[in-house]
Amino acid sequence: MQNKWDKKAHRYGRYTPEGDHLERIICDLMGEMGVDFAGKRVIDIGCGTGIYTLRVAQRATHVDALDISGEMIKILEEDTARYGFENIHPFHSGWEEFSLPDARYDYALSTMSPATHNAEGFAKMHRSAQTKIFLGWGAKRGTILLEELIAAHGATYTPPNGAVRLKEWLEAENIPYDLKEYPEEKVRSRPLAKAIEAYTWHLKVRDLTPDRERIEAILLRYMDTDGNVVERVTNHFNLIVWE
């Protein structure tokens, strides 16, 4: 799994001070749910390149950020230095292997990460901090192109459902939680070569063997007159906060 995420690191989004539309909305939703990182100790689980890590560190006093991908952590370290953050502490580690400190964090954060994906991961996140924040897929991600590519490789597309699994775990443990839902529709356009690279990764992460000729033949049907592969995507995000 680490190698798969290493390969995606250079295509992954990076922190910018202004942030993108989704980041701003998620941060606003956190505020509506009473989240305030000012003066707090935070752990960012499966931090990726640090898109949310650096944003949280603008207000927090201390942020531990871990990710299984060494390439993701390198980018986080680059951006931490570039923007002059001194309160971010990166760890190249999976969540299962990470040793929690004796003192609980004020906040544990997991955003769009497979690091916390099962009962053991949820339980460890629950123990790690006073307040927990989870942003994940709500088992709704409409992407006809990806569905077609996966079907062409003999499998069935299953939408990501990390938030659904977490809600089931919280309810089984009788732990109350707050939930905000955010649906998003967007059109993605990218050159053929980049589209082939991206969808090859999506197939590999599902343990499928990519057939480049088959991939290219399908993508060509989605090309516009400018030579870009155009796809309409429907996402459904769940933001969950609990004590």
Side-chain angles (χ1 to χ4, degrees):
M1 179 61 72
Q2 173 184 343
N3 186 48
K4 294 174 183 177
W5 287 102
D6 281 345
K7 289 181 178 179
K8 189 174 183 177
H10 72 282
R11 293 188 288 105
Y12 213 72
R14 295 179 71 149
Y15 168 84
T16 60
E18 62 275 10
D20 67 14
H21 178 67
L22 178 61
E23 290 168 46
R24 293 193 295 270
I25 287 175
I26 296 303
C27 289
D28 287 345
L29 290 176
M30 287 185 192
E32 292 176 12
M33 300 172 83
V35 173
D36 184 359
F37 296 110
K40 304 300 185 182
R41 294 176 61 253
V42 181
I43 181 168
D44 189 354
I45 305 162
C47 62
T49 59
I51 292 174
Y52 286 97
T53 313
L54 276 71
R55 202 160 306 285
V56 169
Q58 292 173 357
R59 295 180 58 78
T61 56
H62 179 106
V63 182
D64 285 342
L66 64 101
D67 201 280
I68 197 172
S69 167
E71 293 302 312
M72 295 277 192
I73 290 295
K74 285 180 184 177
I75 293 172
L76 168 63
E77 291 172 335
E78 290 173 5
D79 288 348
T80 294
R82 175 181 298 137
Y83 293 104
F85 286 93
E86 297 181 352
N87 58 338
I88 296 174
H89 307 272
F91 294 88
H92 178 200
S93 172
W95 180 225
E96 293 179 1
E97 298 79 25
F98 184 76
S99 296
L100 292 172
D102 293 334
R104 295 177 83 199
Y105 296 92
D106 297 300
Y107 285 101
L109 176 68
S110 178
T111 57
M112 310 308 297
S113 171
T116 49
H117 67 281
N118 57 23
E120 291 76 15
F122 298 145
K124 185 173 182 179
M125 184 176 180
H126 183 65
R127 295 193 306 272
S128 69
Q130 176 64 39
T131 303
K132 283 68 67 173
I133 307 162
F134 181 97
L135 176 66
W137 301 107
K140 296 178 184 177
R141 193 186 189 197
T143 162
I144 295 173
L145 175 50
L146 184 56
E147 290 178 21
E148 185 175 347
L149 285 166
I150 291 173
H153 286 78
T156 301
Y157 173 75
T158 302
N161 64 347
V164 174
R165 292 198 301 272
L166 173 58
K167 286 185 286 186
E168 291 173 347
W169 181 83
L170 289 168
E171 290 164 5
E173 297 293 325
N174 294 312
I175 299 171
Y177 60 89
D178 292 329
L179 168 68
K180 292 275 189 182
E181 299 183 13
Y182 177 69
E184 176 195 55
E185 290 189 7
K186 63 181 180 180
V187 176
R188 180 185 291 135
S189 176
R190 49 191 164 191
L192 178 61
K194 289 188 176 296
I196 291 173
E197 181 183 13
Y199 290 114
T200 295
W201 182 88
H202 275 288
L203 293 168
K204 286 182 176 179
V205 83
R206 290 169 169 82
D207 295 322
L208 299 174
T209 302
D211 182 325
R212 183 183 174 89
E213 290 186 3
R214 187 172 297 174
I215 294 170
E216 187 168 350
I218 292 173
L219 294 181
L220 287 173
R221 300 204 303 272
Y222 288 82
M223 283 184 62
D224 62 13
T225 55
D226 295 323
N228 292 317
V229 176
V230 179
E231 176 189 17
R232 183 175 295 279
V233 180
T234 302
N235 294 320
H236 192 89
F237 302 102
N238 282 187
L239 182 63
I240 301 171
V241 177
W242 77 97
E243 297 290 331

